[in-house]
């Protein structure tokens, strides 16, 4: 059992559970606002909260469900075939690391668009609510992905220390 492997995947599972919790809360808030709110601001706020909340719920559930099996499979592979482990995990983690760059750019754009919409509109209208909800949810995703990327670096480095396939 390798500590880097264990630490990475245990943290991934915790992050998945965090996303499930945030997704449930966001779906509850978004749905409640849709059902009870009459003011356009709250409808605008509810849209990104609910839409991104559903995405958080799906992503969190997927990560949480697959992590234990993925960890078991990779531990077995690492013990029996370290070179094959590296051959499998190195490209996967390289793609994960590239995806963090793309996600960060998209999330930053969404935060900026959300802040712009919020401050651009003086009245408490749909677009102001949309901006606030978008900035809030994109900001949460940005922070979560920052920590996910931070967790991934040591694991990615560990993979590169393993022997390559001949």
């Amino acid at each position: 059992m390798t500590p880097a492997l264990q630490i990475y995947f245990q943290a991934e599972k915790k992050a998945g559970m965090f996303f499930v919790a945030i997704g449930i809360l966001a779906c509850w808030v978004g749905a409640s606002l849709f059902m009870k709110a009459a003011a356009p601001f709250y409808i605008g706020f509810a849209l990104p909260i609910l839409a991104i909340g559903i995405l958080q719920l799906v992503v969190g559930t997927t990560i949480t469900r697959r992590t234990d099996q993925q960890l078991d499979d990779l531990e077995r592979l690492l013990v029996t075939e370290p070179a094959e482990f590296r051959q499998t995990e190195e490209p996967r983690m390289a793609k994960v690391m590239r995806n963090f760059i793309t996600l960060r750019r998209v999330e930053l754009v969404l935060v900026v668009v959300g802040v712009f919409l919020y401050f651009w509109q003086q009245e408490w209208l749909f677009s102001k609510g949309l901006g606030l909800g978008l900035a809030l949810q994109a900001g949460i995703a940005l922070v979560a992905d920052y920590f996910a990327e931070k967790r991934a670096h040591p694991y990615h480095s560990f993979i590169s220390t393993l022997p390559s396939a001949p």
Side-chain angles (χ1 to χ4, degrees):
M1 198 167 311
T2 306
L5 188 63
Q6 283 284 326
I7 290 167
Y8 176 72
F9 281 98
Q10 287 172 356
E12 279 295 291
K13 188 170 182 176
K14 286 179 187 174
M17 288 187 250
F18 172 75
F19 261 90
V20 168
I22 291 294
I24 290 170
L25 178 63
C27 288
W28 177 75
V29 168
S32 295
L33 287 171
F34 265 130
M35 290 187 287
K36 295 180 182 178
F41 170 83
Y42 295 106
I43 300 298
F45 181 68
L47 271 176
I49 297 296
L50 184 58
I52 297 172
I54 291 168
L55 184 62
Q56 289 164 329
L57 193 53
V58 169
V59 169
T61 302
T62 301
I63 290 170
T64 303
R65 289 187 66 218
R66 78 163 184 233
T67 299
D68 289 336
Q69 185 63 51
Q70 189 176 14
L71 176 59
D72 290 344
D73 293 344
L74 289 171
E75 281 181 330
R76 205 171 304 113
L77 187 60
L78 180 59
V79 169
T80 60
E81 298 288 336
E84 188 177 333
F85 175 92
R86 180 176 179 174
Q87 187 177 353
T88 302
E89 275 295 270
E90 200 164 43
R92 185 186 77 80
M93 284 306 294
K95 182 179 178 186
V96 166
M97 299 307 283
R98 284 190 308 272
N99 286 344
F100 283 129
I101 294 167
T102 303
L103 284 170
R104 182 173 39 250
R105 289 177 181 159
V106 169
E107 291 159 355
L108 281 170
V109 166
L110 292 176
V111 167
V112 169
V113 167
V115 168
F116 173 78
L117 285 173
Y118 180 79
F119 286 108
W120 172 66
Q121 183 59 254
Q122 297 301 313
E123 310 256 341
W124 291 86
L125 299 176
F126 179 87
S127 59
K128 190 173 191 82
L130 182 69
L132 182 59
L134 191 58
L136 179 66
Q137 279 288 49
I140 290 169
L142 187 62
V143 169
D145 286 338
Y146 167 79
F147 287 109
E149 184 177 8
K150 231 177 145 172
R151 282 192 309 274
H153 278 292
Y155 177 60
H156 191 226
S157 296
F158 161 74
I159 293 167
S160 65
T161 66
L162 297 172
S164 300

